[in-house]
Amino acid sequence: MSWTNPRPAAMTPPVSGPLAIPGQGLDVVLRAQGVEAVGYARLLSQDGEVLWQWASTDRSDWTYAAASDGASRPQADARRAEWLARHYTGETEAPLAALERITAFDVDYPAVNRLLPVWRVRFERDDALTAYVHTGEDRLAALNDRRKSVLLLLFQTLHTWHWLDGVEGLRLSLIGLAVLSVLAMTMLGLSLVMFRRAPASAPPARRAHRWLAWLVWVPALMLGVSGLFHLLVQTPLRKSPPALPPAVAVSAMPTLSEAPQSLSLLALPDGSGLWRVQAHEQTRWIEAASGDALPLDESAVVARIAGLPLETSAELQKAFNAEYGFANKRLPVWRLEDGERRVFVDLASGQVAARTSAFDVLEQRSFSTLHKWEFLNPIGRGPRDGVLAFAALLLMVMAGVGLALRRRQRRVSL
């Protein structure tokens, strides 16, 4: 799948120039719309005008209004979805085949993508290129084409057993038993190979089966143990998404003496809010309730978002690793330590992206090393995947030879 997946034309959100100072403050616009509190808000440029965009308290809906006069823009979210899809795919000419708002995960957009709600933007092309975009964060959540959709269906049917979604206990039990049977078979086969010699009269197929067993018992254990560990740790019965901060009520607008490059309102766990004003590569933080400027740096702000003391050390992380895997989607993030737990904060959206314990890190390292074989990264991604694919092929060949021997043995016994 990684070799054939479609590649985005851009990896980062589009960057706009300075934004005009809004004629209508967010507090005025919200009162006119009858909105008392928001989960997040920002000023943005779209279709040649400056708009206010804000999220509902649970961040399930996004609303837009013109910053010049407060007029509602009901189609702005769909138009932004198309604009983002064309940015990330580089597709500027093909018409749209479908534009659909997605509020739940499905086969084409599985839960590993994390972000909801998103827009499914499908282009009228032979490969059915489809972008899933999150308009609240301007992120590309997933990129599919016809081939990837087929592979996703096969992967979820045969590997993750998505057809048992909704009965997680049953799915967990059946997959666990299947993996345990593979591990038991591997250990039993290894003991037979080590402690029981093959007779000199053994046919060539049986000798080949023994030699294959010597080659594949290590990969079989690596894949089985790490897969079972991953299954038990990542099950939805144990995992829950990070809680969203409470909504924030806006009672004052920050004073803007010049056009900002970025202006957003972040909600904090204590129910307060912070304005983030960026201009000329400088950032100012303003208390939403009073409009007072605060002498905070970004590390102190992310500590407040994480609900930790301001003096908690924080460092900017720009790449995925064993502690914060690619499934978390958001980058860059700030990494903070809270005892034995790691907290990762996405400052752009003002929310906690992940909380991981030492146990979670151990599982992620196990999965990366034993299941994805990232210890072979020094030889390059292509050769690494080739070695892993070859090991998987040997496992299937050994299983096929074993089944053939078993069938021949049954025929002889009859």
Side-chain angles (χ1 to χ4, degrees), residues 12 16 22 46 77-78 114 120 136 144 147 153 164 179 188 199 207 209 261 280 330 349 373 412:
T12 57
S16 61
Q46 180 171 312
D77 203 39
R114 299 288 178 93
R120 177 186 286 144
N144 291 5
R147 175 166 43 191
L153 178 60
L164 288 177
V179 177
L188 178 60
R207 291 183 177 276
H209 192 250
Q261 292 172 306
H280 301 297
R330 295 179 172 91
S349 62
W373 290 22
V412 171

Side-chain angles (χ1 to χ4, degrees), residues 372-395:
K372 298 167 64 178
W373 290 22
E374 290 187 357
F375 64 89
L376 293 178
N377 282 353
I379 68 175
R381 178 183 175 185
R384 178 203 69 192
D385 289 350
V387 172
L388 181 54
F390 181 68
L393 179 62
L394 286 181
L395 282 165

Side-chain angles (χ1 to χ4, degrees), residues 60-83:
S60 62
D61 289 300
W62 298 89
T63 309
Y64 298 72
S68 58
D69 57 11
S72 179
R73 295 289 185 267
Q75 299 302 317
D77 203 39
R79 293 181 62 83
R80 191 164 193 84
E82 179 182 353
W83 177 66

Side-chain angles (χ1 to χ4, degrees), residues 63-288:
T63 309
Y64 298 72
S68 58
D69 57 11
S72 179
R73 295 289 185 267
Q75 299 302 317
D77 203 39
R79 293 181 62 83
R80 191 164 193 84
E82 179 182 353
W83 177 66
L84 288 170
R86 293 190 183 278
H87 166 78
Y88 282 113
T89 62
E91 178 57 73
T92 59
E93 297 181 358
L96 295 185
L99 181 63
E100 180 184 5
R101 190 168 179 271
I102 305 298
T103 58
F105 298 112
D106 58 21
V107 174
D108 286 329
Y109 186 70
V112 70
N113 292 299
R114 299 288 178 93
L115 302 177
L116 280 178
V118 295
W119 285 86
R120 177 186 286 144
V121 186
R122 180 175 294 115
F123 295 100
E124 200 170 287
R125 297 183 6 164
D126 292 339
D127 61 355
L129 185 65
T130 304
Y132 293 83
V133 293
H134 190 288
T135 53
E137 300 177 25
D138 290 347
R139 295 186 188 274
L140 176 67
L143 188 62
N144 291 5
D145 59 9
R146 200 180 304 279
R147 175 166 43 191
K148 183 180 177 182
S149 294
V150 172
L151 292 175
L152 268 176
L153 178 60
L154 290 173
F155 181 81
Q156 292 185 83
T157 301
L158 302 177
H159 195 77
T160 63
W161 295 17
H162 78 93
W163 36 277
L164 288 177
D165 286 350
V167 282
E168 178 61 17
L170 178 61
R171 189 189 77 94
L172 190 66
S173 300
L174 292 179
I175 297 181
L177 286 173
V179 177
L180 284 173
S181 70
V182 172
L183 294 176
M185 180 182 64
T186 302
M187 296 304 298
L188 178 60
L190 178 61
S191 65
L192 290 174
V193 169
M194 294 180 65
F195 301 112
R196 182 178 177 182
R197 288 190 174 186
S201 59
R206 186 169 296 278
R207 291 183 177 276
H209 192 250
R210 290 179 64 89
W211 279 110
L212 283 171
W214 280 113
L215 289 174
V216 303
W217 73 268
V218 172
L221 287 180
M222 290 171 64
L223 294 171
V225 169
S226 59
L228 183 62
F229 192 16
H230 182 75
L231 175 73
L232 297 176
V233 172
Q234 296 297 326
T235 173
L237 296 180
R238 178 180 177 271
K239 288 283 186 178
S240 58
L244 293 173
V248 57
V250 184
S251 57
M253 267 290 295
T255 300
L256 302 174
S257 58
E258 58 182 335
Q261 292 172 306
S262 174
L263 176 63
S264 55
L265 175 66
L266 309 181
L268 301 179
D270 60 6
S272 64
L274 282 180
W275 284 104
R276 183 190 190 196
V277 185
Q278 291 180 298
H280 301 297
E281 299 183 356
Q282 294 183 337
T283 302
R284 292 190 296 134
W285 298 97
I286 300 172
E287 195 75 48

